[in-house]
Amino acid sequence: MFCGWQTAAQPLHDSLSLTAHRNVSVPHAYIAHSTAKDSAAHMASMWQSQPHRFVRLSQFNLGYRDSIVWLALPLKNEGRSGELLLEIPNPHLDELALYVIDRDRVWQVGRVTGDNHPFYSRNFTHRNFVWPLRHEQVAGTTLLLRIDKRNSALSVPVFFWEPDTFRQQNTRTLLFYGIAFGMMLLAAMYSLLAGIFLRAPIYFTYLFFVLSAILFLATGEGLSFQFLYPRQGGLNTLLRPVITGMSTIALAIFSTLFLNLKKTYPGGHRIVVIVIILFLIILASTPFLHRFYLRNSSFFVPLILTLSVVVNSVLVFSAAITHRKQRQISLFYLCAYATVIVTGMVTIMEDYGWVAPLPFNIMFLGAVVEVIVFSVALTFLVRGVYQERNDLALRISRHQRELIQSYVNGSERERQRVSRDLHDDIGSRMSHIKRLLQQQGPAQQALQEQLEKLVSDVRTMAHRLAAPPAAGGGLVPRLQALASETQAATSMACYVQSFDFPDNLSPALETEAYRIVQEAVQNIVKHAHATEAYIQLFLHEQDVTITIEDNGKGFLLDVMSTGIGLTNMRMRAESMGGRLEISSGRGKGTTIIVVIPYRQAADAGAGQNG
């Protein structure tokens, strides 16, 4: 039990003597208990005739009570008039009534108020219970405070204020609340936006956790009753344990995702899930059993608190034992939790009178620090997750390129084998057949001509399948040789142009580029019916760029884009980390653009050569 002027607080049992401008002194506070039937007149008579039945109070935390508490505050007269404010800074008392004992009469000050009455029953518009008093009316009398908080823990701090000092203190407190709630709402907005844009479920659970923490703190300070449901007297008594359970559920769900308990500590995860289910059962049954819960609050409230302690203990233990598996995540979690534990211990010490009350609710400070730490930790956690995803995507991409390169290399080796077989085996045997036919006379002239054409086609095919000619000077001379051969064998003009094109490409890049252009030229000869084809090579922004254009009949991309030739060309480009783009249309000719990163392709080629 504390009595304070301005922001200072001193125990009532240490006689509080006031100076000249504080004209009321409170030597001691005394407490008595009664049943609900005892009236104020009866207790006033007891105070005057049997004062020994009132026990001198040593602390304001009275623990669980099943009786009506009467608090007697004898005041001395210091001879000054003016207004005085009596404040009970505990917004969770079921019913209160203030009386003045003046010699042989008892009279009530203001209205009966409390959580069981609508908020407008307060004698002063404030989240706490405040009575305006006149010095000249109460000086030299005894204030008798009737407090009904049966079957629940009772804490009754008392402060006397001068009006100006009270307003200043209240302004500072509201400013502190505004800053604290504002920071927490910013964290909630951040988690909402992050959850939407990043599509990370943990941010939505964190949003639920922050909003439930805001509601929990606002209800604990009496702000919810004042602003959310001021007409619903009695609702605050039920909502406090319900909101405690809801905030515990939010913390448990967020923590299981944050600590990844299902994977890192399955045993702790199962316990947390069981507690969450029990909480959900209690919350779901509250609308139907609220009267039962209110009548049995001495069991219901400790049950809620016990479940909260169990789940919080399991979460802290889980964070501690998973430290080796997830060192940074566990440290973030334990640091955030440490702030709540420390501020909670300070609050308990204030309740029991072990330390002087602070001018603000330190739990708010702990909650703000916890939210800030968790916000930083979430950013760190999600960044790590996305970094792992990016690394995995890079590894998958690298593996895909390796697979494509392996396919291309295998295809190249197979081309070489087929080329050798065509040239050495099939070509030789067909040449032998040709010589035999020449010995049988002119009757076989037509067959001989067909066979000569077949031999020529086989040789041409073998040459095309063989490795590109090793002409000196790099890729450009090789493509010029290809263009000359094509122009000599067909009626199509083929031109090669280069602009600042490097002549020191890796062998792998030269081979792949040559094969792409070779395939493109073959397709033009076979299908395009073109009269001209242009091959252009240049180096643009560290990219090897090759374009093949023709003035042929073109084709529809959605019909021909999955052909074997185009697929092979595209796979060769992708094997070097590049891309292939095609532009074509009926009667518009065709343009093929091949872009390969010069350095990446050179590195890949060097790696293969090594």
Side-chain angles (χ1 to χ4, degrees), residues 160 243 298 349 362 504:
F160 289 95
I243 292 174
S298 58
M349 294 170 68
I362 194 172
N504 60 343

Side-chain angles (χ1 to χ4, degrees), residues 281-311:
I281 293 174
I282 294 174
L283 295 183
S285 62
T286 299
F288 310 100
L289 301 177
H290 63 280
R291 296 186 183 277
F292 172 79
Y293 290 152
L294 287 175
R295 287 195 305 268
N296 298 274
S297 58
S298 58
F299 168 77
F300 176 61
V301 174
L303 175 63
I304 294 290
L305 296 178
T306 300
L307 292 176
S308 299
V309 170
V310 169
V311 73

Side-chain angles (χ1 to χ4, degrees), residues 246-561:
M246 186 177 66
S247 60
T248 303
I249 291 175
L251 174 63
I253 296 175
F254 167 71
S255 299
T256 54
L257 293 178
F258 184 80
L259 296 173
N260 196 14
L261 286 187
K262 192 173 184 179
K263 180 179 179 182
T264 58
Y265 186 37
H269 180 263
R270 285 192 292 270
I271 297 175
V272 172
V273 169
I274 292 173
V275 174
I276 290 176
I277 293 174
L278 292 176
F279 265 124
L280 291 175
I281 293 174
I282 294 174
L283 295 183
S285 62
T286 299
F288 310 100
L289 301 177
H290 63 280
R291 296 186 183 277
F292 172 79
Y293 290 152
L294 287 175
R295 287 195 305 268
N296 298 274
S297 58
S298 58
F299 168 77
F300 176 61
V301 174
L303 175 63
I304 294 290
L305 296 178
T306 300
L307 292 176
S308 299
V309 170
V310 169
V311 73
N312 281 269
S313 301
V314 171
L315 291 174
V316 173
F317 180 74
S318 300
I321 66 171
T322 59
H323 178 262
R324 291 185 178 180
K325 298 180 181 178
Q326 44 185 6
R327 183 169 180 269
Q328 293 173 320
I329 296 300
S330 296
L331 285 178
F332 271 121
Y333 192 85
L334 293 175
C335 288
Y337 229 95
T339 61
V340 178
I341 293 175
V342 171
T343 54
M345 292 177 62
V346 174
T347 301
I348 293 173
M349 294 170 68
E350 289 179 348
D351 285 346
Y352 281 92
W354 298 339
V355 297
L358 296 173
F360 58 89
N361 188 338
I362 194 172
M363 287 294 293
F364 275 77
L365 182 61
V368 170
V369 174
E370 181 187 37
V371 166
I372 292 175
V373 172
F374 274 137
S375 298
V376 174
L378 267 183
T379 303
F380 173 83
L381 176 64
V382 173
R383 187 189 68 175
V385 170
Y386 276 88
Q387 184 63 42
E388 290 181 0
R389 289 184 180 179
N390 291 337
D391 292 342
L392 179 60
L394 289 175
R395 290 196 297 270
I396 292 174
S397 177
R398 190 181 303 114
H399 182 63
Q400 288 176 339
R401 288 199 300 272
E402 291 174 355
L403 290 176
I404 293 174
Q405 187 62 48
S406 298
Y407 169 80
V408 171
N409 292 340
S411 176
E412 187 66 27
R413 288 192 295 270
E414 185 64 17
R415 290 169 69 99
Q416 300 301 322
R417 186 188 65 80
V418 173
S419 174
R420 288 192 301 269
D421 291 345
L422 287 173
H423 185 274
D424 298 339
D425 185 17
I426 305 299
S428 299
R429 291 163 61 186
M430 294 182 70
S431 297
H432 178 65
I433 295 173
K434 176 183 176 183
R435 288 193 297 271
L436 293 176
L437 289 174
Q438 288 175 345
Q439 299 173 2
Q440 295 180 7
Q444 304 298 326
Q445 184 66 33
L447 182 58
Q448 181 179 341
E449 291 176 358
Q450 293 294 325
L451 189 57
E452 285 179 354
K453 186 176 185 305
L454 182 58
V455 170
S456 176
D457 289 345
V458 169
R459 286 176 178 173
T460 301
M461 184 182 300
H463 291 159
R464 288 177 177 174
L465 289 172
L475 178 62
V476 175
R478 293 184 177 187
L479 293 181
Q480 288 174 341
L482 174 64
S484 299
E485 293 175 2
T486 303
Q487 191 162 336
T490 66
S491 60
M492 183 183 71
C494 190
Y495 306 98
V496 177
Q497 300 172 334
S498 64
F499 307 93
D500 297 328
F501 196 77
D503 56 3
N504 60 343
L505 298 180
S506 66
L509 176 56
E510 286 194 16
T511 299
E512 300 306 329
Y514 181 87
R515 290 302 190 195
I516 292 173
V517 176
Q518 184 186 46
E519 183 72 34
V521 171
Q522 289 179 15
N523 288 340
I524 293 172
V525 171
K526 290 181 180 180
H527 308 295
H529 299 162
T531 60
E532 293 180 343
Y534 292 88
I535 303 170
Q536 297 178 329
L537 304 93
F538 54 91
L539 185 66
H540 176 66
E541 295 183 354
Q542 297 301 315
D543 285 337
V544 171
T545 303
I546 304 173
T547 65
I548 305 102
E549 300 180 68
D550 68 73
N551 62 349
K553 63 179 183 180
F555 61 92
L556 297 178
L557 292 176
D558 56 349
V559 176
M560 301 295 295
S561 61

Side-chain angles (χ1 to χ4, degrees), residues 14-82:
D14 294 336
S15 178
L16 182 61
S17 299
L18 304 179
T19 57
H21 66 284
R22 299 170 183 171
N23 60 314
V24 176
S25 64
V26 186
H28 306 288
Y30 300 88
I31 185 173
H33 302 275
S34 73
T35 64
K37 297 179 180 180
D38 293 324
S39 65
H42 173 76
M43 299 305 296
S45 175
M46 181 187 298
W47 167 256
Q48 291 178 331
S49 61
Q50 299 174 308
H52 62 276
R53 298 184 62 177
F54 281 79
V55 180
R56 184 170 166 176
L57 193 64
S58 59
Q59 64 180 28
F60 64 77
N61 192 312
L62 306 179
Y64 275 79
R65 298 286 174 174
D66 57 359
S67 60
I68 303 296
V69 173
W70 295 84
L71 200 64
L73 305 173
L75 308 178
K76 290 185 178 180
N77 188 356
E78 301 291 341
R80 185 187 175 191
S81 62

